[in-house]
């Protein structure tokens, strides 16, 4: 008897909102019927909705709202592979993945390559520092769940050091955000809310109105420059009410 043909391998790189939704829908339409094998690849074990990263980073939303990609793939019957995308071998039709280590630098997944018949790149975007000197060494980006967790930890430690006097004679904290698009504006507002939460939960030094300066820097002539001027004006007014320096 002739062997049944192997279903096509559909590989999706990137478990952001687009990649996760696509893997789920393709699995329901094709995978369940045996018409294709769906594989989702990402360097993270969980999905976090990117428009909410500023809330996670500021600590106003808990990380318990993350979606486990292992659990989600099992429940929706597609394959999940942990790996950091590094390139494509188009001749051999392979997706090349770099090894992934845990925070203690122990290997979680080895370097390897995955075969594909159909490849979808849903890797999203990353902040661009435009080669500005000092940015890579001194600034924190907010593109991934790992960066949001790091920023949250850094903020907590900063406020604790301020409270305990570990910052020396520092009388106030200064937090600066570069970029007054949607993420920058929302992060500024969430940081003001976070400062209030710290004040209510034992960080007494930030109870003073001038204890925390939040500064938002934007090259365009107004915040949210991609939106209508009426919206920008309302948002700018609200930022001033929150004592955020634009």
């Amino acid at each position: 008897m002739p062997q049944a043909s192997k279903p096509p391998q559909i590989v999706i790189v990137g478990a952001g909102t687009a990649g996760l939704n696509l893997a789920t829908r393709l699995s329901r339409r094709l995978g369940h019927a045996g018409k294709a094998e769906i594989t989702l690849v990402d360097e993270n074990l969980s999905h976090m909705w990117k428009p909410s990263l500023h809330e996670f980073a500021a600590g106003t939303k808990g990380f318990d709202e993350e979606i486990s990609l292992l659990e989600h793939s099992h429940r929706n019957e597609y394959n999940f592979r942990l790996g950091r995308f590094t390139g494509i071998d188009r001749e051999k039709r392979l997706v090349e993945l770099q090894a992934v280590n845990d925070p203690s630098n122990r290997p979680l997944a080895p370097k390897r390559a995955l075969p594909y018949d159909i490849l979808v790149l849903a890797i999203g975007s990353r902040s661009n520092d435009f080669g500005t000197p000092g940015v890579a060494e001194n600034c924190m980006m907010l593109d991934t769940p790992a960066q949001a967790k790091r920023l949250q930890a850094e903020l907590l430690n900063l406020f604790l050091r301020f409270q305990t006097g570990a910052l020396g004679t520092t009388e106030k904290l200064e937090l600066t955000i570069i970029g007054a698009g949607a993420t920058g504006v929302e992060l500024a507002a969430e940081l003001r809310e976070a400062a209030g939460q710290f004040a209510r939960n034992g960080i007494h030094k930030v109870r003073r109105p001038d204890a925390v300066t939040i500064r938002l820097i934007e090259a365009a002539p107004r915040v949210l420059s991609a939106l209508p001027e009426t919206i920008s004006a309302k948002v700018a007014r609200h930022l001033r009410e929150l004592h955020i320096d634009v």
Side-chain angles (χ1 to χ4, degrees):
M1 294 180 62
Q3 291 185 341
S5 60
K6 188 177 180 180
Q9 305 285 312
I10 302 177
V11 176
I12 304 164
V13 179
T17 302
L20 190 64
N21 285 338
L22 180 60
T24 304
R25 293 189 179 192
L26 287 178
S27 180
R28 291 173 181 171
R29 292 189 178 186
L30 302 176
H32 291 184
K35 295 180 180 179
E37 185 170 346
I38 316 301
T39 299
L40 180 64
V41 177
D42 200 271
E43 63 184 277
N44 298 295
L45 286 168
S46 61
H47 164 84
M48 187 183 296
W49 196 46
K50 190 169 183 178
S52 291
L53 283 179
H54 60 279
E55 295 175 273
F56 292 107
T60 55
K61 178 177 283 191
F63 287 101
D64 55 345
E65 296 189 31
E66 289 180 279
I67 296 174
S68 166
L69 294 175
L70 288 170
E71 187 275 334
H72 190 272
S73 63
H74 174 73
R75 179 158 44 88
N76 290 279
E77 299 182 27
Y78 62 85
N79 303 313
F80 171 68
R81 298 290 180 263
L82 180 66
R84 184 173 294 114
F85 171 68
T86 56
I88 305 168
D89 187 329
R90 299 181 67 179
E91 184 176 343
K92 296 180 180 179
R93 303 183 75 83
L94 294 172
V95 176
E96 298 168 348
L97 303 179
Q98 182 181 334
V100 176
N101 295 338
D102 68 10
S104 299
N105 208 32
R106 294 173 297 189
L108 287 175
K111 178 180 178 180
R112 62 204 189 283
L114 301 179
Y116 70 87
D117 295 302
I118 299 173
L119 176 62
V120 179
L121 296 182
I123 53 179
S125 61
R126 290 289 187 270
S127 298
N128 189 345
D129 63 13
F130 300 100
T132 305
V135 171
E137 297 81 10
N138 300 292
C139 295
M140 300 182 69
M141 303 299 185
L142 189 55
D143 294 313
T144 67
Q147 290 172 337
K149 290 178 180 178
R150 181 190 168 202
L151 179 53
Q152 186 188 94
E154 291 285 346
L155 283 170
L156 175 59
N157 290 340
L158 177 64
F159 277 82
L160 285 173
R161 288 196 294 269
F162 185 53
Q163 174 66 24
T164 62
L167 294 178
T169 58
T170 301
E171 292 296 326
K172 68 177 182 178
L173 299 177
E174 297 191 30
L175 308 176
T176 300
I177 302 166
I178 307 296
T183 297
V185 166
E186 291 176 355
L187 178 60
E190 293 295 334
L191 287 177
R192 180 58 72 197
E193 171 63 22
Q197 290 183 5
F198 281 126
R200 293 189 293 272
N201 289 280
I203 310 296
H204 305 304
K205 281 190 175 181
V206 299
R207 288 180 177 176
R208 300 193 332 267
D210 63 341
V212 181
T213 297
I214 299 175
R215 186 175 296 109
L216 192 57
I217 298 176
E218 171 58 51
R222 56 189 174 90
V223 301
L224 300 177
S225 58
L227 298 180
E229 290 189 22
T230 53
I231 295 178
S232 293
K234 289 180 180 179
V235 171
R237 184 166 58 251
H238 184 56
L239 290 172
R240 288 193 296 271
E241 292 170 354
L242 293 174
H243 303 288
I244 294 170
D245 181 18
V246 180

